[in-house]
Amino acid sequence: MQFTKLGLLAGLAFGALVAATPAYAQVTLKVWSIDGVDRTGIADTFSKEFDEANDDIVVEYRAIPFDEIVNETLRAFATGNAPDIVSFDNPDFALFSSRGAMLDITDRVANSEIISKAEYFEGPLNSVTWEGKLYGLPKYTDTIGLFYNKDLFAKAGISEPPSTWAELAEDAAKLTDPANNVYGVTFSARAGEEGTFQFLPIIQMSGGGANKVNTEGAAQVLDIWKGLIDNGYASRDVLSLGQWDSTGVFNSGNAAMAISGPWEIDRMVEDAKFDWGVALLPTINEDDQKSSALGGFNWGIMANTQHPDEAFRLLEYFVEQEDRIFPEFGNLPARGDIALPVTGEAKKDAALVVFQDQLQYAQPRGPHPEWQKISKAIYDAEQQALTGQMPAMDALNQAQTTIDTIFKQ
Amino acid sequence: MSRYFSGLRDGIGFDIILVGAALLFLLALAGAPLVYNVLMSFQQVDMFTLGSLFRPAVGFDNYVAVVQQPEFWLVTRNTLIFVFGSMTGQFVLGFALALFFAQNFPGASTIRGLFLVSWVMPGLVVGGIWSLILAGDYGVLNVILRSFGIIGSNVFWKSDPNFSIWAVIIANIWLGLAFNMLLLSVGLAAIPRDLYEAAELDGANAFQRFWTITLPMMRSTIGAVLSLGLIGTLQQFDLFPALTEGGPANTSNVAGYWSWQLSFQLYDFAKGATVSVMMFLLVLFASVIYVRSTRHEVRG
């Protein structure tokens, strides 16, 4: 009796296998992203779903660590083994799109029933655009704002978060409490992309940009920041701390303000044993134009794909699922038409509203194919000024000289 | 032809095959990348022409461009400080420890063996540990120094431009100490005991014995240790990303890390190759000393 059952099951399984094998040729799509290296993310989940739902397309997903994906793709592209779809950090995207390594999808998007270009925030969209053409789509986005400890603010008798950098410095002075190991503010001015990420908004709100960094306003804020460090209102270690570690100091109650992004919220809800809130990034003068950094990743189809139609179908599937990326993965969609669901966690919901607002002022880094060199010039200048090796304006002028040679090429 | 085969039979030709295989191996695995690297430093390298060997030649343009970088002299200075600081620390402390453990006291060899722990640990792990020890606000080192009254306020080892390179040097000395001590211990053990006994009978004091017996007898060992130390120090990479990332403002950037940064962070592969060729000349110098100091050892 048992054997007959087993035999029947085996026969059924075999039949199912035969039925599942399609009679026509299958297309294989290679997708590379950073998701799935340490935890499940957007790219690995959606790739698997699409693979299972479509018999004619096999999706081969490969997870590559953040630090290696650009190098790995460069190598693969140079040797003709590039993936069909890949995702990059937004400042890295222009490196590929400007050199014709990404597929121009302008017309495909215009004809798509699923994707609507108009719904995307301007900043993320700029980072996938090169010379008026669309070479990819934003995957998700983020930006930075000012987290502040409401309990410490109340104790110091400050009612409102600061709206200018000068005010921030005043507040930081009042909030600093060396006896209890409390710094007024913490941020990241590290020698790397994170340093640029937090400093470029200052350049932008003073009227500059990637091609013009030596503005009066930027030098002024650098002097304010240097004052924060020299007076002990901010730890000197902001020069070597990344954003995640820097905000850790805030979470433990050892800093009253922190500059960082929405990726901190979940950990803060868990770790921070005080009342906190988020405010927009301060400006230089009260009525100045606001600005903020733009983070997040982009999707792109590589130019040498053998299956552009199928790859675009997969891209459309990714876009179709975007209302799931916040509830399931905690990432912010780069589109204005997706309302974020209320989580029920009051502090988190309030913070998200501010970050959604801040996103309107977020500007991409670049886009420029040699962004990495521009970025190094910027964070080197920032660090030279903050460590007192050079006056702020001289450091920015030196960076400007380097940047001029990059833009003249 | 028959002579060749008879050579195989009597075993002489077989030697040549063995040596030839080793040479081929060296040429393919060490020679080819080296030539590729040198070639790249004279070419205009595009990120998409990485795979090809023939690219537009630019003569010495890359070298000129590297020297004109605003951080070039700072990096050169840091590299020299890093190499001499690390080597001196590793050698002096390693020699002192080797001499100490050469004394006969209970547990000497066991404790000496424990020092190997530092040597087997990966550089990134060592960097991570020292990153915590050297942290400005909550670092252990600052707490210790403060409790002894050596410093009044916290030293920001990793973020202060005056100390950043020394933060990496301290970690590197710790990392290389065991290797130096071990090699020098072997050298010390090879000195015949009766030399010291004879010297003692002649009335030589400890310093004279060290100066006239230990140092001269250790000459080739010291040469080898120093040149291996130079190579190891120039090779050091892991500690930099783990500790300072070359910052603040390049004050702890050295040639090796800079070369990596240029190639794999700024995607300027030609300049990265150029810096590494410049470094290669330094290592060549060290290798010559090493080969010379070990030359007479081979004929045993």
Side-chain angles (χ1 to χ4, degrees), chain A residues 74-398:
Chain A
L74 273 181
R75 253 197 305 271
F77 191 80
T79 53
N81 295 312
D84 298 277
I85 292 186
V86 66
S87 79
F88 296 119
D89 193 8
N90 71 66
D92 293 329
F93 203 83
L95 182 75
F96 289 86
S97 54
S98 67
R99 309 300 297 270
M102 307 311 289
L103 191 72
D104 176 4
I105 56 169
T106 317
D107 296 336
R108 286 176 193 272
V109 168
N111 297 328
S112 171
E113 285 168 13
I114 293 162
I115 305 168
S116 161
K117 200 176 149 184
E119 301 296 355
Y120 285 96
F121 292 126
E122 194 189 326
L125 200 61
N126 278 342
S127 72
V128 287
T129 308
W130 184 255
E131 288 179 348
K133 290 189 180 126
L134 203 61
Y135 288 94
L137 288 169
K139 179 179 171 188
Y140 61 81
T141 187
D142 53 49
T143 184
I144 51 173
L146 180 74
F147 290 95
Y148 64 105
N149 184 327
K150 289 185 179 171
D151 292 350
L152 288 178
F153 266 62
K155 220 172 93 185
I158 309 168
S159 53
E160 287 285 310
S163 59
T164 65
W165 290 105
E167 267 175 48
L168 181 136
E170 277 171 38
D171 290 352
K174 286 182 210 156
L175 291 157
T176 303
D177 182 1
N180 291 316
N181 291 322
V182 176
Y183 283 110
V185 64
T186 186
F187 52 98
S188 175
R190 178 189 196 175
E193 191 60 33
E194 284 179 300
T196 304
F197 190 60
Q198 296 214 339
F199 180 58
L200 187 64
I202 313 300
I203 294 173
Q204 288 164 342
M205 58 180 75
S206 65
N211 56 350
K212 166 119 180 95
V213 298
N214 54 348
T215 60
E216 282 296 327
Q220 205 180 315
V221 174
L222 270 184
D223 285 335
I224 295 177
W225 285 10
K226 183 172 186 295
L228 290 174
I229 295 172
D230 290 348
N231 291 322
Y233 304 153
S235 166
R236 190 163 287 279
D237 269 348
V238 295
L239 288 158
S240 59
L241 283 185
Q243 303 179 95
W244 185 254
D245 294 328
S246 162
T247 314
V249 179
F250 173 82
N251 289 346
S252 58
N254 294 108
M257 295 180 271
I259 297 168
S260 202
W263 59 85
E264 307 277 2
I265 294 176
D266 283 341
R267 179 179 60 152
M268 204 174 282
V269 166
E270 221 164 87
D271 290 0
K273 305 278 176 269
F274 48 82
D275 192 14
W276 54 268
V278 184
L280 296 182
L281 214 56
T283 51
I284 300 170
N285 298 310
E286 198 66 61
D287 46 357
D288 267 358
Q289 159 203 0
K290 289 189 193 331
S291 178
S292 166
L294 182 79
F297 266 64
N298 295 327
W299 291 115
I301 301 173
M302 296 217 79
N304 55 355
T305 178
Q306 299 294 309
H307 314 288
D309 296 328
E310 287 81 359
F312 192 73
R313 249 174 71 196
L314 178 52
L315 206 58
E316 283 188 320
Y317 180 75
F318 289 156
V319 174
E320 220 175 352
Q321 307 302 316
E322 269 171 7
D323 51 346
R324 288 166 55 197
I325 68 173
F326 177 71
E328 285 179 40
F329 309 103
N331 294 121
L332 296 179
R335 290 156 57 181
D337 62 330
I338 298 178
L340 297 184
V342 174
T343 61
E345 177 73 49
K347 279 179 258 185
K348 181 174 176 176
D349 288 333
L352 281 170
V353 172
V354 179
F355 279 118
Q356 287 284 83
D357 186 15
Q358 182 85 83
L359 265 181
Q360 298 173 35
Y361 308 107
Q363 295 181 36
R365 289 157 279 161
H368 193 279
E370 299 209 57
W371 170 254
Q372 290 74 16
K373 287 182 196 167
I374 299 171
S375 175
K376 187 167 181 359
I378 293 175
Y379 64 70
D380 277 350
E382 179 189 4
Q383 291 208 322
Q384 278 165 338
L386 293 184
T387 53
Q389 291 176 302
M390 268 192 194
M393 204 61 214
D394 292 358
L396 290 172
N397 283 336
Q398 183 185 306

Side-chain angles (χ1 to χ4, degrees), chain B residues 88-194:
Chain B
T88 312
Q90 287 175 354
F91 179 74
V92 171
L93 291 175
F95 210 165
L97 281 172
L99 284 171
F100 178 67
F101 285 110
Q103 314 302 313
N104 254 333
F105 60 90
S109 57
T110 316
I111 301 172
R112 186 170 55 194
L114 282 178
F115 269 87
L116 278 180
V117 171
S118 72
W119 194 40
V120 293
M121 278 221 271
L124 268 177
V125 176
V126 173
I129 295 170
W130 276 97
S131 181
L132 292 175
I133 298 176
L134 296 170
D137 288 311
Y138 311 104
V140 180
L141 187 64
N142 278 340
V143 175
I144 296 173
L145 290 179
R146 258 207 328 258
S147 70
F148 283 114
I150 297 171
I151 51 169
S153 59
N154 284 336
V155 176
F156 289 87
W157 296 96
K158 293 184 292 172
S159 322
D160 191 318
N162 300 316
F163 295 111
S164 55
I165 187 73
W166 292 101
V168 194
I169 291 175
I170 291 171
N172 195 34
I173 289 176
W174 187 83
L175 190 63
L177 195 58
F179 181 65
N180 276 254
M181 183 192 76
L182 217 72
L183 284 187
L184 292 167
S185 290
V186 173
L188 281 178
I191 303 174
R193 293 290 112 196
D194 46 357

